[in-house]
Amino acid sequence: MKKIVIAIFCLFLSVPAMAGGWTNWFTIDTLGYDFHHHDTSHAYFYVVPAGTVENPDSCTSTTRYAAGANHTTNSVATSVNAREISKLPTLAYTAGWQMRVYLNGCAFNAFPDARIIEIKKP
């Protein structure tokens, strides 16, 4: 019983912490992949929203939302994760659905860095 109470308490603590980094729901205008020619160690998949999106992390630019920012010296698992994270935005874009992201700082000190993605029918 004591473990259940502790687990419930931890759940209540984690939900408000997660809620602070979510953007509002938005429609995707375009998708892209940026591979820096001058700095070939960085590459990332990004989403360009149609309209205004909340910026809970106060990044300097909100023209795009980085998803799966990857440094090429990272592990194979990180590279696979970067490829997998593009699937939900691609589905949302092709189906005309909406998406929202949980931000975790700013990628490359500029763009909001999406760590969790949710999609839904409008």
Side-chain angles (χ1 to χ4, degrees):
M1 182 66 173
K2 189 175 184 180
K3 289 181 183 180
I4 293 173
V5 171
I6 292 171
I8 291 171
F9 179 71
C10 290
L11 177 64
F12 283 119
L13 287 178
S14 66
V15 170
M18 294 267 309
W22 285 102
T23 64
N24 56 311
W25 291 98
F26 61 89
T27 305
I28 300 169
D29 182 58
T30 54
L31 301 172
Y33 184 78
D34 192 357
F35 182 78
H36 296 279
H37 296 288
H38 300 292
D39 182 7
T40 57
S41 65
H42 292 90
Y44 64 97
F45 176 81
Y46 64 88
V47 175
V48 176
T52 305
V53 179
E54 296 167 356
N55 185 12
D57 281 345
S58 300
C59 298
T60 57
S61 175
T62 56
T63 57
R64 62 176 68 172
Y65 285 73
N70 185 32
H71 193 281
T72 56
T73 59
N74 287 349
S75 68
V76 172
T78 303
S79 299
V80 169
N81 186 45
R83 286 192 305 269
E84 292 295 317
I85 202 166
S86 68
K87 290 181 179 180
L88 284 177
T90 303
L91 173 62
Y93 178 72
T94 56
W97 292 4
Q98 293 181 321
M99 108 178 218
R100 73 177 185 160
V101 295
Y102 182 79
L103 301 179
N104 185 26
C106 305
F108 309 109
N109 296 320
F111 305 108
D113 189 12
R115 290 298 166 173
I116 303 171
I117 297 171
E118 287 187 341
I119 62 173
K120 72 170 186 171
K121 281 184 165 181

